[in-house]
Amino acid sequence: MIRLTLRSLRAEALRMLLSALAVVLGVAFVAGTMIFVDGMRAGAYERAGTFDRHTDLGVYPAGDEVLPPALVDRVRAVDGVAAAAGELTNTAGVVGADGRPVLGFTMLVAIPTEDTLRSYDVVAGRLPDRAGEVVLDAPTAADQGFRLGAEVRIGATGGAARPYTLVGTVDVAGTVRDIGGPFVGLVGPDALALSGERGYGRVMVAARPGADLAALTERVRAVAGAEATVKSRQQILDEAVEDAVRNAEQFRMLLLIFVGVAIVVAGFVIANTFAIVLAQRTRRTALLRLIGATRGQVFRSTVLESAVLGLVASALGVLLGVALAGGMRLLLPRLDVPVTGGLTVTGSTVLTGLLLGTGLTVCAALLPAWRGTRIAPVAALTDAAVQPSRGAGRVRLTAGAVVLAVGVAALAGAASAGQLLLVAAGGVLTFFGIVLFGPVLVPALARVFGWPARRLLGAAGELAVVNTVRNPRRVAATATALVIGIGLVSAFMVGARSTKDGIERSVDAQIGTDFVVSGIGQNLPAALVGELASRPELGVVHEQRSTVVDDVEIRAAHPALVSRTLSGVLAGDADRVGPGQVLVHRELARARGWQVGSEVTVAGRPLRVAAVVTDDTLGREAPTGHVIDLSDQDFAALFPAQRGYLAEIDPAAGVSPERARDAIAAVLSRYPTVNLMDQGAYKKMLTSTVDMLLALVTALLGLAVVIALVGVANTLSLSVLERTRENAVLRAVGLTRGRMRAVLAIEAVLMALVGAVLGVGLGAGVSASTMALLDRLGGDFHVVLPLGQLGLILGVAVLAALLASVLPARRALSRPVVEALADQ
């Protein structure tokens, strides 16, 4: 029986080719992910402690505190310490050779001046030894044409850009200090002054040769005080590795979520393939039973066939996975995504790929194999292979209808219930309802979508529709595989478009000026707003600042802009906000018993309530509605150290937008950590992350859609083999070759179109439910259908189905009619 099984597998290798392709793609995604992430982990181990090669101890502050610079001198004076240096990491900006900020997040680091603690790989020149000197990463220096000895202007939140002398370049590629932009290294005092920090993030310590590290640790701990933590070199390295590996593991878990989707889709394709193939072998299986083969032998034969197919396809998938990981390794750096390590192919990765692909194939074949054992020997005497299969049972259809209804109800009621979990449950139940009720739902939709074909092509169109729905279970399984991938892609598309629309409406409501100045990854420099306000070309200059005091959010407000976010004024005059006059929001006024004219105290200063207002914006760290709006002058006087990351600017009366922009740009030329945008550009900046995530998700889910389309081609190919004599009869009675191609093309399009429409409907439903829930919870979100993108999904599905019908049509027309009529 084993020999017969292997011979049968060799003879029908072409039939299993597309099914094997589904396994190959699924395993390749798994193996490629594991190989790529294993390489990242290996690189993390190699690069951990790159900047601590000479550090024996480290002193760290508690929580978000910093270590005062004086502590460095005290630690340096401890017996047994060879060198000590403070280190901080922050963000900054570099003014390029053209006078514009260099793009990308810039990392600012305080570099030790003691040779004993320096762990940087110098490419050219040297590290800074004194104030006024700077080192850059080698790529930035080369791109900008900076030469050693040149003046480079560096800026941060501490103030305007300052000139420094370039004394060297370093290599930080692949390290924790490679964040996709320039790297700036200064001596400690310069780094503190530029960043505005009050102290260091840690103190690095190098021990004298032969010193007792345990005793030295205790002495340093005594000097550092109880609020600081002293860590050994091994602890520092272990934590660096743990952080790096944690990031790699999180990345792998993200990818494996999409891998799981692809594997599920591949399972549907494989199960459908074996169901079709075994149905076509009805007569052969019955003959085996007739000459004495037992049910167990037939079952084991099918399982063995699936295991061999899965093992071969998995091996090819692992090889393709290596190539896929290599492609990711080359692509991500081009997208400015730092990648560490190379490719690491381990035995566990290979074994996992082989076991996963083989196990998936065997599991998918179990139910069709069990059904094959129920074939009676008498079936050998009939033409069972071309008999239409029975439809789904009443129990399945009833359960499917109930599950589908419950899922739709859960999606519709999630917003009222205020439960995000209900959205997820509704989406899952709706999908399973489609799976169970598919043998009725999918053929019904196929008949509806096939109506134009019947009208246009007459008998050929009618024949295509009948062929599509003649086996309800088969077409339902084929379409369902598409529902998963396209449903998820559609959900992300609708969700992304709706989110972007909500962000844009929020900007329209909260930004009432022509121009916006924002900090690049940090707050605005302290002196910037004052310089902008002093320009005569500019009228309104308002820095958005806020803080929380005693569970009340205190916000800076500008009289010309304050009304833009208010949804109502309950009492008083909102335009009176100014020095000594504040706006109090309704919830806070009710809680404190305040009215117009009431005296309130903020940070020890008495102020008067000018108006009681309502506001639809969400609170941050304070309860909703517990907000006080102060004038810019009062806020600056009460909270001088509080900075914001955004400033709103309008031209002065009679000044054109072009002149105003030039005036703003003249000020910002000294501040490389700040960006100038109009409202449109600001919206685009806020929504660019959504677009990037959508592109990533669509690319990752694209594999699942490709596998599902492979299933369409597979089903059509096997159906052509099943209908060899039937197609020959049609050709004999006058069906032209073009009409035969049209019949098969329409079959493929109907299967793909039904799956795509159900997927788009499911995805849109899940996103609509999510947006309704977010809107009820206090956001300003409404579902927005990106009709162009959804139409593109349907168009791509139809085009792919047409391409998938080419090979089956060629196969159907390749055999002479007389030979095909004699097919058994």
Side-chain angles (χ1 to χ4, degrees):
M1 200 68 182
I2 294 178
R3 187 176 303 171
L4 178 63
T5 301
L6 296 178
R7 286 179 178 176
S8 175
L9 186 60
R10 286 196 301 270
E12 298 181 345
L14 290 178
R15 294 194 184 192
M16 295 296 188
L17 180 61
L18 289 176
S19 177
L21 181 58
V23 180
V24 169
L25 294 176
V27 172
F29 203 175
V30 174
T33 298
M34 297 180 69
I35 291 169
F36 181 73
V37 175
D38 285 344
M40 291 179 62
R41 293 183 61 182
Y45 279 102
E46 293 174 2
R47 305 295 288 193
T50 297
F51 306 103
D52 286 297
R53 291 193 289 256
H54 307 300
T55 304
D56 295 310
L57 298 176
V59 182
Y60 294 81
D64 295 330
E65 298 297 321
V66 294
L67 299 174
L71 179 61
V72 179
D73 296 328
R74 296 202 301 270
V75 171
R76 189 180 292 124
V78 172
D79 183 31
V81 172
E87 183 185 67
L88 69 83
T89 57
N90 210 306
T91 55
V94 179
V95 179
D98 57 358
R100 299 179 179 179
V102 178
L103 298 179
F105 285 102
T106 300
M107 174 164 279
L108 169 66
V109 176
I111 294 181
T113 55
E114 295 88 344
D115 291 337
T116 311
L117 288 171
R118 289 181 164 178
S119 300
Y120 286 84
D121 297 322
V122 178
V123 176
R126 59 176 175 82
L127 296 177
D129 292 324
R130 58 187 65 87
E133 297 180 342
V134 65
V135 292
L136 299 176
D137 61 294
T140 297
D143 291 343
Q144 296 298 320
F146 292 140
R147 296 184 178 181
L148 297 183
E151 182 183 276
V152 178
R153 290 193 294 151
I154 312 294
T157 55
R162 308 175 188 181
Y164 297 88
T165 301
L166 182 64
V167 297
T169 59
V170 295
D171 177 18
V172 295
T175 69
V176 293
R177 292 175 186 174
D178 179 14
I179 58 174
F183 169 87
V184 174
L186 302 172
V187 295
D190 277 356
L192 289 174
L194 188 66
S195 65
E197 291 286 350
R198 296 176 293 105
Y200 295 108
R202 69 168 179 166
V203 176
M204 299 182 293
V205 179
R208 293 185 184 278
D212 185 342
L213 289 181
L216 179 60
T217 300
E218 294 302 321
R219 291 195 294 271
V220 171
R221 184 175 289 118
V223 170
E227 297 300 323
T229 302
V230 180
K231 299 178 182 179
S232 66
R233 171 179 170 78
Q234 192 59 49
Q235 287 178 297
I236 296 172
L237 294 180
D238 289 344
E239 291 179 5
V241 169
E242 183 179 350
D243 290 341
V245 171
R246 185 189 302 115
N247 293 337
E249 288 299 321
Q250 290 173 350
F251 183 66
R252 180 168 71 172
M253 290 303 299
L254 174 65
L255 289 180
L256 288 180
I257 292 174
F258 297 98
V259 168
V261 175
I263 291 298
V264 170
V265 174
F268 272 94
V269 172
I270 298 164
N272 198 35
T273 298
F274 273 97
I276 299 172
V277 169
L278 293 179
Q280 293 174 358
R281 293 181 187 170
T282 299
R283 175 172 292 182
R284 184 192 309 174
T285 303
L287 286 172
L288 291 174
R289 296 289 313 282
L290 192 64
I291 62 176
T294 65
R295 286 188 174 184
Q297 286 178 313
V298 173
F299 180 79
R300 289 191 293 272
S301 172
T302 304
V303 171
L304 175 61
E305 183 177 351
S306 66
V308 173
L309 176 67
L311 184 61
V312 174
S314 300
L316 294 175
V318 171
L319 294 177
L320 182 59
V322 176
L324 180 63
M328 293 176 64
R329 182 69 180 80
L330 295 175
L331 176 63
L332 290 180
R334 295 180 179 272
L335 300 177
D336 293 329
V337 178
V339 177
T340 61
L343 300 182
T344 303
V345 182
T346 64
S348 62
T349 297
V350 175
L351 184 61
T352 299
L354 295 178
L355 291 178
L356 179 63
T358 304
L360 175 68
T361 309
V362 171
C363 291
L366 288 178
L367 183 59
W370 176 77
R371 287 175 179 167
T373 64
R374 304 176 66 187
I375 298 174
V378 72
L381 304 177
T382 67
D383 196 12
V386 295
Q387 294 177 358
S389 68
R390 61 185 178 86
R394 293 182 179 179
V395 174
R396 170 177 173 172
L397 295 178
T398 302
V402 171
V403 171
L404 183 59
V406 171
V408 172
L411 291 176
S416 300
Q419 293 292 326
L420 184 60
L421 184 62
L422 202 57
V423 176
V428 173
L429 289 175
T430 302
F431 169 71
F432 279 113
I434 293 173
V435 173
L436 294 173
F437 198 62
V440 169
L441 179 62
V442 173
L445 289 175
R447 291 188 181 94
V448 172
F449 295 151
W451 180 82
R454 294 198 300 268
R455 297 280 296 180
L456 293 174
L457 299 179
E462 183 71 32
L463 181 62
V465 175
V466 171
N467 284 341
T468 302
V469 303
R470 69 160 60 181
N471 193 318
R473 286 188 174 185
R474 180 181 302 177
V475 69
T478 303
T480 300
L482 265 174
V483 171
I484 303 174
I486 290 183
L488 289 172
V489 171
S490 301
F492 279 102
M493 281 186 173
V494 176
R497 185 66 190 90
S498 302
T499 301
K500 289 176 63 178
D501 185 75
I503 292 173
E504 290 170 353
R505 284 199 307 273
S506 177
V507 171
D508 290 337
Q510 297 186 27
I511 304 296
T513 58
D514 290 345
F515 300 104
V516 173
V517 170
S518 64
I520 303 176
Q522 55 188 299
N523 290 329
L524 297 174
L528 173 63
V529 173
E531 291 188 31
L532 290 170
S534 66
R535 295 292 302 231
E537 300 93 340
L538 306 180
V540 174
V541 178
H542 168 60
E543 182 180 6
Q544 289 190 1
R545 290 177 286 176
S546 66
T547 187
V548 175
V549 179
D550 297 330
D551 287 334
V552 176
E553 183 178 358
I554 313 297
R555 304 190 311 197
H558 193 286
L561 303 175
V562 68
S563 62
R564 73 188 186 281
T565 60
L566 300 182
S567 56
V569 179
L570 303 180
D573 184 1
D575 293 333
R576 289 177 54 202
V577 63
Q581 301 287 320
V582 302
L583 304 183
V584 176
H585 290 229
R586 176 179 55 191
E587 290 78 3
L588 180 61
R590 289 177 178 174
R592 304 288 176 90
W594 293 339
Q595 300 176 350
V596 174
S598 296
E599 182 178 286
V600 302
T601 302
V602 177
R605 179 177 175 180
L607 303 165
R608 292 286 177 184
V609 176
V612 178
V613 300
T614 59
D615 188 344
D616 292 334
T617 58
L618 292 176
R620 297 179 181 177
E621 300 176 9
T624 301
H626 284 231
V627 180
I628 296 176
D629 290 319
L630 307 179
S631 67
D632 283 332
Q633 299 94 319
D634 285 343
F635 191 97
L638 294 175
F639 309 101
Q642 191 70 39
R643 301 256 57 86
Y645 74 94
L646 189 74
E648 302 167 82
I649 305 173
D650 257 345
V655 177
S656 67
E658 291 74 17
R659 282 184 59 200
R661 177 184 284 274
D662 292 340
I664 299 171
V667 175
L668 297 191
S669 63
R670 300 188 297 276
Y671 295 92
T673 60
V674 177
N675 193 18
L676 168 63
M677 294 168 285
D678 56 24
Q679 273 207 33
Y682 184 59
K683 291 177 182 179
K684 187 175 182 180
M685 181 196 73
L686 293 178
T687 58
S688 60
T689 301
V690 178
D691 292 330
M692 182 183 68
L693 291 176
L694 176 61
L696 175 63
V697 169
T698 302
L700 293 174
L701 289 173
L703 179 65
V705 177
V706 169
I707 293 175
L709 290 171
V710 166
V712 173
N714 201 16
T715 299
L716 194 60
S717 296
L718 295 173
S719 297
V720 165
L721 290 173
E722 184 178 78
R723 300 197 303 260
T724 299
R725 292 179 63 189
E726 178 183 326
N727 290 337
V729 170
L730 291 172
R731 291 170 59 195
V733 297
L735 189 68
T736 65
R737 299 173 71 89
R739 291 261 172 173
M740 176 63 73
R741 292 191 180 95
V743 167
L744 295 175
I746 293 172
E747 284 188 59
V749 167
L750 288 177
M751 284 188 284
L753 190 59
V754 170
V757 169
L758 287 174
V760 168
L762 176 60
V766 170
S767 287
S769 180
T770 304
M771 292 300 121
L773 174 61
L774 293 177
D775 186 66
R776 180 179 175 82
L777 294 178
D780 185 18
F781 293 98
H782 306 285
V783 64
V784 178
L785 297 177
L787 298 179
Q789 291 177 320
L790 297 180
L792 181 62
I793 290 179
L794 297 178
V796 169
V798 169
L799 179 61
L802 290 173
L803 294 176
S805 70
V806 173
L807 288 179
R810 182 176 297 176
R811 177 176 295 177
L813 297 170
S814 62
R815 298 179 66 180
V817 174
V818 176
E819 180 182 333
L821 287 171
D823 185 77
Q824 295 294 323

